[in-house]
């Protein structure tokens, strides 16, 4: 009897607000100027989101070798999300303990479409943590 896999992220992940990523090619130091603004002038920052598109994002493949060996685990991926909602890069933030599961999760999430972060009404680059859980069911 074969066990059915489950991949869905089931836990909300608490994460500090993502830091927008600059897409400049220059390696020159960046100077930041701070100005005093009131709360009414501050633009609201909305984090990138993968849950809204979860039904349309491909699930990771559960490798046959991992299934046959009973490997399970949770992979935490840090995804750099572009202003267009695409994954610019995907890296393993915390491994499942099985490289094969980690790689399967990375390959799937590279193809995902995200709801991009916004500063006010403007989409901006940011990062988000995506949990992928590999579970074998009886």
């Amino acid at each position: 009897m074969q066990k059915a896999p489950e991949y869905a992220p089931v836990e909300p992940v608490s994460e500090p607000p993502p830091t927008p990523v600059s897409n400049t090619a220059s390696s020159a130091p960046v100077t930041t100027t701070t100005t005093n603004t009131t709360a009414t002038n501050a633009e609201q920052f909305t984090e990138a989101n993968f849950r809204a598109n979860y039904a349309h994002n491909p699930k990771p493949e559960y490798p046959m070798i991992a299934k046959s060996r009973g490997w399970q685990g949770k992979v935490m991926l840090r995804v750099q999300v572009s202003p267009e909602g695409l994954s610019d890069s995907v890296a393993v933030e915390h491994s499942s303990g099985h490289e094969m599961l980690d790689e399967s999760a990375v390959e799937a999430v590279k193809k995902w479409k995200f709801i991009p972060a916004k500063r006010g009404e403007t989409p901006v680059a940011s990062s988000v943590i995506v949990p992928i859980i590999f579970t074998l069911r009886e």
Side-chain angles (χ1 to χ4, degrees):
M1 181 174 198
Q2 189 174 10
K3 299 176 182 179
E6 177 182 286
Y7 314 100
V10 293
E11 299 175 11
V13 179
S14 297
E15 176 82 359
T19 305
V21 177
S22 171
N23 290 331
T24 59
S26 170
S27 60
V30 176
T31 305
T32 305
T33 327
T34 306
T35 58
N36 291 334
T37 58
T38 62
T40 56
N41 291 341
E43 290 184 291
Q44 181 178 1
F45 185 83
T46 307
E47 293 185 35
N49 188 334
F50 66 90
R51 287 180 178 85
N53 278 345
Y54 190 73
H56 304 293
N57 288 329
K59 292 181 179 178
E61 181 183 325
Y62 209 131
M64 289 302 290
I65 294 173
K67 281 188 205 180
S68 68
R69 295 180 181 173
W71 292 351
Q72 302 182 82
K74 179 178 178 178
V75 185
M76 301 296 281
L77 301 175
R78 179 168 300 277
V79 183
Q80 297 297 324
V81 179
S82 74
E84 294 78 30
L86 303 174
S87 56
D88 282 341
S89 70
V90 180
V92 175
E93 182 83 2
H94 187 269
S95 174
S96 66
H98 304 285
E99 186 175 348
M100 190 176 290
L101 296 180
D102 297 349
E103 288 175 1
S104 178
V106 167
E107 288 307 308
V109 173
K110 281 181 181 178
K111 300 171 189 164
W112 282 16
K113 177 79 173 160
F114 295 82
I115 305 299
K118 289 187 176 182
R119 185 165 309 283
E121 293 299 314
T122 307
V124 294
S126 66
S127 67
V128 64
I129 297 290
V130 176
I132 302 290
I133 300 172
F134 289 90
T135 304
L136 295 170
R137 292 193 172 196
E138 303 265 341

